[in-house]
Amino acid sequence: MSKKLDGKVTTPSQGGSLPEIGSALSVLTQAVTAVSHLQEAAECAAELQQTFGNTQLKWVLFFCSAQLDVEALATELECLMPDKTIIGCTSAGELSPAGYCQRSVTAVAFPEAAFHIETALIEHLDQFDFTKAQQQVSHMLERCQLKQKAPLKGHTFLLTLLDGMSDHEEVVLNILNAVLGSTPMLGGSAGDDLDFSHTQVVYQGKSYQNAAVLMLVNTACPFMVFSQKHVEDTDELFVATKVDSEHRRVYELNAQPAAEVYANAIGVALDQLTPTVFARHTLSVRIAGESFVRAVQSANDDGSLSFYCAVERGIVLRRNQHLDIPQALDLLLSRIDERLGEQQLILGFDCIFRQLELRTLNKLSRVSDRLSYHPVVGFNTYGEHVNGIHLNATFTGVAIGLGQKKSAEL
C-alpha cells in the first residue's frame, strides 16, 4: 500500500527506512505504518526504528506474533526509541497493509501534529473497580485536554488492549464504558496463536499478564468506529444448565454434557472438536434484543466447553448461521470509503475464528487481497471490544480519514 507524503511516494507499510520523511515534510500529519518479518528481537526492533525514527512520531502501537520474544522486543524498542511512548500486545495473527500476516510484527506510529494520545497501564485486572476506573480515566482526560487537537467530545476515542487469558474482560470493559460516557471505546484481547497459555500486553519496555493498556486518542481527523459480524441467529436453542461463570466454562447444555450436546448438534464426533470446527459453528446469546456471539474456545476432558466470552447459568444459546465473510467485508469497506473518503489508517481487531473459517473455506487470500487496498494495521484477537462489550467473531475497529471533518460511527 503506497502512501503519498508531500508529493513523494513511500511504502512505510513494508518496513525499512524513510530517509525522505524528515526533509520532505516540515510537519508530519499522517500515521505511518510498518511490518517486520524478522524473527530476532533486536533486528525486528531496528527495522521498525528505521521507519519510526522521525522525531515527530510520538506514539507507537504494535502487535506481535506470540512466536517472537515479545519481552525482548519491547525492551529493544524502548532502547532504540526512548523519545516515544510504545505499547502493544501479542497476537494470534497480524493484519498489515499487505493483508494477513503470520509470525510478524505490525505497527503504526502517530505524529504529534495531528494527534494527542494519553496512555495508561492497568495491572491486576481482577482488582479493577469503578473507583480506580474513575481516577484513571479522569487523569487521562485532564491531561489530554491540555494538549487536545480538537474538543474532546466527538473527537476522541479510547483504545483497549487486554490480556486475552485474564477472564476479566467483561468486568473491566463494562466499568470503563460506564466511566467514559459517550466517548467511543474499542480494542481487542491479546492472543498467543491458539496456545491459550501466555497472552501479554506491553507498556514502555515491559510485558504484562493480567493487565490492560489504554490509549486515549484525540484528533481533528475524521474517524469512524465500526463492528461487523457475519453470523445470524437460528431457532436451534441450548440452555446452559450447569456453568462455572468465573472461568467461562459450561458443563451442561439442556441438562446433558455440554460437549456431547454441541457435537451432536453440529454433526461431528467429540474428538473432532477443534478450533477450526468451533470457528465454523458459533453460538450466540441475545441481550436486550441484540445478538452477541459466544464462541467456544475448547472442549475439555470432563465433557465441558470453555468459552471466549462470559457465560452464565440459565442463558439461552442459539446456534448461528454463517454468512459470507468476503461479501460482508466488501460492504463494510465500501461504507468506510463512502463515509471518510481516503483513509490514513484502519485499526482492525479481527477475531481469530474469522481467520480459521476463511482458511477452511479457502477464502483467506481473497480477504487478504481486499484488505491490502486499505491501510490496515491490527491483529487476530481472542475477543473484540466495542463500547464496553466483549465480542467474538467480529471485525471491529476504527477508520481514520484525512483532513478535519465531523467524526461518525458505523
Side-chain angles (χ1 to χ4, degrees), residues 165-237:
M165 296 296 293
S166 70
D167 291 339
H168 295 290
E169 290 102 315
E170 285 83 10
V171 173
V172 173
L173 294 173
N174 285 337
I175 291 173
L176 286 171
N177 189 62
V179 172
L180 279 169
S182 61
T183 300
M185 181 171 70
L186 66 136
S189 297
D192 64 350
D193 294 320
L194 295 177
D195 287 339
F196 303 119
S197 62
H198 200 66
T199 58
Q200 301 169 80
V201 297
V202 171
Y203 189 76
Q204 291 295 75
K206 295 183 179 180
S207 62
Y208 298 85
Q209 290 185 284
N210 191 28
V213 177
L214 309 180
M215 287 184 71
L216 186 69
V217 180
N218 175 256
T219 180
C221 300
F223 64 83
M224 177 189 300
V225 175
F226 61 85
S227 183
Q228 182 191 62
K229 61 182 179 180
H230 68 287
V231 302
E232 292 180 344
D233 288 345
T234 70
D235 292 331
E236 189 171 357
L237 309 179

Side-chain angles (χ1 to χ4, degrees), residues 116 118 140-148 152 218:
H116 182 71
E118 292 292 337
M140 295 177 75
L141 288 170
E142 288 172 2
R143 288 182 301 176
C144 190
Q145 194 167 24
L146 295 176
K147 297 183 179 181
Q148 65 186 26
L152 295 187
N218 175 256

Side-chain angles (χ1 to χ4, degrees), residues 164-165 167-171 173 189 196 243-250 283-285 287 292-298 305-312 315 317 351 353 381-386 388-394:
M165 296 296 293
D167 291 339
H168 295 290
E169 290 102 315
E170 285 83 10
V171 173
L173 294 173
S189 297
F196 303 119
V243 176
D244 177 358
S245 300
E246 182 179 356
H247 298 99
R248 299 174 178 167
R249 181 173 289 196
V250 176
L283 305 173
S284 62
V285 59
I287 301 174
F292 299 97
V293 172
R294 291 291 181 263
V296 179
Q297 181 186 95
S298 62
L305 296 173
S306 293
F307 284 73
Y308 280 100
C309 284
V311 287
E312 304 287 343
I315 64 169
L317 295 165
C351 182
F353 274 5
T381 78
Y382 282 178
E384 304 81 64
H385 317 153
V386 64
I389 302 173
H390 186 214
L391 305 168
N392 290 142
T394 73

Side-chain angles (χ1 to χ4, degrees), residues 33 95-99 106 333 345-348 371-372 374-378 395:
T33 64
L95 302 177
S96 81
T106 185
L333 294 175
L345 176 68
I346 296 179
L347 275 175
L371 290 174
S372 71
H374 290 74
V376 178
V377 168
F395 180 48

Side-chain angles (χ1 to χ4, degrees), residues 85-401:
T85 300
I86 303 171
I87 74 171
C89 70
T90 57
S91 67
E94 300 77 55
L95 302 177
S96 81
Y100 283 108
C101 299
Q102 294 286 326
R103 296 180 62 86
S104 68
V105 178
T106 185
V108 58
F110 299 90
E112 62 179 340
F115 298 87
H116 182 71
I117 299 176
E118 292 292 337
T119 64
L121 170 70
I122 300 174
E123 296 188 80
H124 311 297
L125 295 183
D126 53 327
Q127 301 174 22
F128 193 64
D129 58 27
F130 191 81
T131 300
K132 292 178 181 178
Q134 280 186 313
Q135 293 172 345
Q136 186 66 76
V137 171
S138 295
H139 188 45
M140 295 177 75
L141 288 170
E142 288 172 2
R143 288 182 301 176
C144 190
Q145 194 167 24
L146 295 176
K147 297 183 179 181
Q148 65 186 26
K149 299 301 178 182
L152 295 187
K153 185 176 177 61
H155 299 276
T156 307
F157 61 87
L158 182 73
L159 180 71
T160 54
L161 301 178
L162 275 66
D163 177 357
M165 296 296 293
S166 70
D167 291 339
H168 295 290
E169 290 102 315
E170 285 83 10
V171 173
V172 173
L173 294 173
N174 285 337
I175 291 173
L176 286 171
N177 189 62
V179 172
L180 279 169
S182 61
T183 300
M185 181 171 70
L186 66 136
S189 297
D192 64 350
D193 294 320
L194 295 177
D195 287 339
F196 303 119
S197 62
H198 200 66
T199 58
Q200 301 169 80
V201 297
V202 171
Y203 189 76
Q204 291 295 75
K206 295 183 179 180
S207 62
Y208 298 85
Q209 290 185 284
N210 191 28
V213 177
L214 309 180
M215 287 184 71
L216 186 69
V217 180
N218 175 256
T219 180
C221 300
F223 64 83
M224 177 189 300
V225 175
F226 61 85
S227 183
Q228 182 191 62
K229 61 182 179 180
H230 68 287
V231 302
E232 292 180 344
D233 288 345
T234 70
D235 292 331
E236 189 171 357
L237 309 179
F238 311 92
V239 179
T241 48
K242 185 177 180 181
V243 176
D244 177 358
S245 300
E246 182 179 356
H247 298 99
R248 299 174 178 167
R249 181 173 289 196
V250 176
Y251 288 92
E252 293 182 358
L253 291 172
N254 301 339
Q256 299 294 323
E260 182 179 331
V261 172
Y262 176 80
N264 288 338
I266 64 176
V268 303
L270 279 172
D271 60 3
Q272 293 178 320
L273 292 178
T274 64
T276 299
V277 172
F278 300 141
R280 296 285 309 279
H281 301 279
T282 57
L283 305 173
S284 62
V285 59
R286 288 184 182 176
I287 301 174
E290 187 173 356
S291 178
F292 299 97
V293 172
R294 291 291 181 263
V296 179
Q297 181 186 95
S298 62
N300 307 308
D301 292 339
D302 58 6
S304 65
L305 296 173
S306 293
F307 284 73
Y308 280 100
C309 284
V311 287
E312 304 287 343
R313 183 177 182 273
I315 64 169
V316 177
L317 295 165
R318 296 172 179 267
R319 188 175 172 186
N320 294 143
Q321 173 186 350
H322 286 225
L323 307 177
D324 185 68
I325 294 178
Q327 185 178 32
L329 180 63
D330 283 345
L331 177 61
L332 171 64
L333 294 175
S334 294
R335 292 170 69 184
I336 291 174
D337 289 342
E338 181 180 352
R339 188 77 63 85
L340 293 181
E342 184 181 1
Q343 303 108 51
Q344 59 178 293
L345 176 68
I346 296 179
L347 275 175
F349 305 96
D350 192 46
C351 182
I352 180 57
F353 274 5
R354 287 167 57 93
Q355 186 200 108
L356 292 175
E357 183 173 347
L358 287 168
R359 287 186 183 278
T360 302
L361 298 174
N362 294 317
K363 295 182 178 180
L364 187 67
S365 61
R366 176 181 168 187
V367 170
S368 187
D369 289 345
R370 186 70 177 93
L371 290 174
S372 71
Y373 288 95
H374 290 74
V376 178
V377 168
F379 72 104
N380 292 116
T381 78
Y382 282 178
E384 304 81 64
H385 317 153
V386 64
N387 297 333
I389 302 173
H390 186 214
L391 305 168
N392 290 142
T394 73
F395 180 48
T396 294
V398 59
I400 304 176

